[in-house]
Amino acid sequence: MAQLVKRAFRYRFYPTDGQAAELSRTFGCVRLVYNKALEERTRAWFGEQRRISYVQSSAALTQWKKTEELAFLAEVSSVPLQQALRHLQTAFGNFFARRAKYPRFKSRKKSGASAEYTRSAFTWRDGRLTLAKMSAPLDIRWSRPLPEGVVPTTATVSRDSAGRWFVSLLCEDSIVPAPATGAAVGIDAGITSLVTLSTGEKIANPRHERCDRVRLAKAQREMSRKAKGSANREKARRKVAKVHARIADRRRDFLHKLSTRLVRENQTVVIEDLTVRNLLKNGTLARAISDASWTELRSMLEYKCAWYGRELVVIDRWFPSSKLCGACGTIASKMPLNVREWTCDCGVVHDRDVNAARNILAAGLAASACGDGVRPQRESSRTGLSSVKQEPQRATAGTPRP
């Protein structure tokens, strides 16, 4: 049975000079309203122990527009400004619920430039999008069609650090679950092989950042020679940003294709709950781990499994997948990172990654069947951050953590 989900479709567009100027003004006003409202709420909370609601912030925005100093806020569409206040309200809600840190001020250089338009602030006619305060529709490159008969509910316009313009259209899409299959797969994430499957297949790591490392270093050297604040430095910065954008785009495309394939071919997908933030503390491997982007792969698997009726099982981060013999159940005392193949006392020769993937699959299927995890015998000590993945003694299976 098909289910309705909110789905964003992102496209690149090329604005005219007038549209670019209008959007740039809107971005600046959105950032100013967000920062000013955050300043007011911070002063009220720390100075008076008083909370300011969204309604109060919205009323304050109306008063700001009436002042001579901030009268220019009335020159842009009011909807993106109101949406900025709603985003700030959400940020404070997450903070008070202890789901996020205290909201931070938006920087012109470090924060992404974006503005969100709701249905009342844009016109959608014959497949063309016209934003408020604009007379002509945006010149969008339709790399893929929107679902037939779907009208966007929200349009988010953004400009990345490389100067590229994008519009993200939020729609309600009907997704049909994929045909059921009895296949299941365990996935062991790595660096040499991005993922190793329990079937024995190893998918090589494309290493997108390494492929463009020479180009990136050259662009960074050229930027360092330019005078700060000059137009030439801004041009050089754009070149650096374009290299970074190329790396990110290629990585994202590869992960989308990989995750879609895994979800289509398997009814059950089992992965590890890796603490990537802790693993990045390893200075030797941090760059390679960041390039692998395990967190982004997991995120894709999570929502695609939910969309297409698949089961995603996440086993505990302490499960000793690499040290556990899949034949006899013996746990090796040590397993240095340079050991890629090892022989158990029972005589079975294991490929480190394939054995880990098969152990992950077995633990995930056991957890899915009984609702609990496999708990091997605890050892006297735990491994630290010297290895790529933490593989201590305790092993439980669970659900994805927030």
Side-chain angles (χ1 to χ4, degrees):
M1 182 177 180
Q3 61 174 328
L4 287 177
V5 299
K6 289 187 176 180
R7 188 174 183 181
F9 295 82
R10 187 166 180 255
Y11 302 95
R12 188 172 181 181
F13 73 97
Y14 296 86
T16 63
D17 292 341
Q19 290 174 339
E22 176 64 29
L23 289 173
S24 296
R25 283 195 299 269
T26 303
F27 293 159
C29 292
V30 166
R31 184 176 58 252
L32 185 148
V33 168
Y34 185 94
N35 289 341
K36 191 170 181 60
L38 175 56
E39 182 182 5
E40 294 291 337
R41 297 181 71 146
T42 301
R43 184 173 62 251
W45 174 250
F46 288 101
E48 307 172 15
Q49 292 298 303
R50 176 174 59 89
R51 294 189 183 185
I52 297 180
S53 65
Y54 162 76
V55 175
Q56 292 172 312
S57 296
S58 181
L61 174 59
T62 303
Q63 297 301 320
W64 296 341
K65 291 181 180 180
K66 296 179 180 179
T67 63
E68 182 179 356
E69 181 184 2
L70 299 177
F72 61 86
L73 293 177
E75 298 176 2
V76 301
S77 174
S78 62
V79 173
L81 307 184
Q82 294 289 344
Q83 291 300 103
L85 296 180
R86 289 191 173 93
H87 293 163
L88 180 61
Q89 179 67 26
T90 301
F92 271 101
N94 292 332
F95 167 71
F96 288 118
R98 298 185 177 182
R99 291 190 297 265
K101 295 182 179 180
Y102 192 81
R104 295 183 297 179
F105 291 96
K106 292 184 179 294
S107 169
R108 178 182 299 180
K109 295 182 178 180
K110 296 182 180 180
S111 301
S114 65
E116 184 176 300
Y117 295 79
T118 58
R119 192 69 183 86
S120 61
F122 67 84
T123 302
W124 177 261
R125 184 176 300 144
D126 298 330
R128 309 192 76 181
L129 178 70
T130 306
L131 300 178
K133 303 289 185 178
M134 295 184 185
S135 58
L138 299 181
D139 183 14
I140 300 176
R141 297 296 186 263
W142 298 101
S143 54
R144 55 174 174 169
L146 285 177
E148 187 175 356
V150 170
V151 177
T153 58
T154 302
T156 303
V157 181
S158 61
R159 183 184 61 213
D160 66 5
S161 57
R164 303 180 301 175
W165 295 83
F166 294 94
V167 58
S168 180
L169 303 178
L170 184 65
C171 311
E172 278 196 353
D173 191 15
S174 178
I175 295 183
V176 180
T181 175
V185 66
I187 302 175
D188 178 67
I191 294 179
T192 303
S193 298
L194 182 63
V195 294
T196 300
L197 308 183
S198 55
T199 58
E201 180 184 359
K202 294 186 177 183
I203 299 176
N205 186 354
R207 299 179 183 270
H208 298 294
E209 188 273 337
R210 176 177 287 186
C211 292
D212 281 344
R213 189 172 295 178
V214 174
R215 180 183 301 180
L216 178 61
K218 181 180 178 181
Q220 289 173 331
R221 285 195 303 269
E222 291 178 352
M223 185 182 71
S224 67
R225 299 189 185 104
K226 310 301 181 183
K228 291 185 178 180
S230 65
N232 285 335
R233 187 177 178 87
E234 176 60 21
K235 292 180 182 178
R237 187 202 62 78
R238 287 282 181 92
K239 291 183 179 179
V240 174
K242 287 181 179 179
V243 178
H244 280 295
R246 167 185 163 90
I247 295 171
D249 289 345
R250 295 173 65 197
R251 181 190 296 124
R252 189 182 306 110
D253 178 71
F254 179 82
L255 293 179
H256 268 301
K257 292 176 180 177
L258 174 60
S259 58
T260 299
R261 174 201 158 187
L262 293 173
V263 170
R264 283 179 177 174
E265 295 178 354
N266 301 279
Q267 186 67 32
T268 303
V269 180
V270 187
I271 61 176
E272 287 181 291
D273 182 22
L274 298 176
T275 52
V276 178
R277 180 179 299 179
N278 288 343
L279 299 177
L280 291 175
K281 296 178 183 178
N282 186 328
T284 305
L285 299 171
R287 193 169 190 174
I289 293 174
S290 298
D291 192 23
S293 195
W294 298 331
T295 302
E296 188 171 4
L297 175 60
R298 170 175 170 170
S299 177
M300 293 179 181
L301 289 173
E302 285 177 347
Y303 77 78
K304 290 181 182 180
C305 284
W307 280 1
Y308 298 107
R310 303 310 198 196
E311 181 183 13
L312 180 67
V313 181
V314 183
I315 66 171
D316 193 271
R317 66 187 59 173
W318 303 116
F319 181 66
S321 57
S322 296
K323 298 193 293 183
L324 177 66
C325 175
C328 67
T330 302
I331 299 178
S333 58
K334 294 182 180 180
M335 188 63 61
L337 188 60
N338 60 348
V339 176
R340 310 314 303 172
E341 188 176 282
W342 60 284
T343 303
C344 181
D345 295 338
C346 65
V348 178
V349 179
H350 293 292
D351 180 285
R352 178 194 181 105
D353 298 332
V354 175
N355 176 66
R358 291 172 178 170
N359 288 332
I360 291 170
L361 174 61
L365 294 178
S368 179
C370 64
D372 197 2
V374 181
R375 295 181 179 271
Q377 183 178 358
R378 296 178 65 91
E379 299 174 2
S380 58
S381 62
R382 290 186 176 184
T383 57
L385 292 172
S386 58
S387 61
V388 177
K389 293 185 289 183
Q390 298 172 346
E391 295 175 344
Q393 308 72 24
R394 180 170 57 86
T396 58
T399 56
R401 303 186 180 183

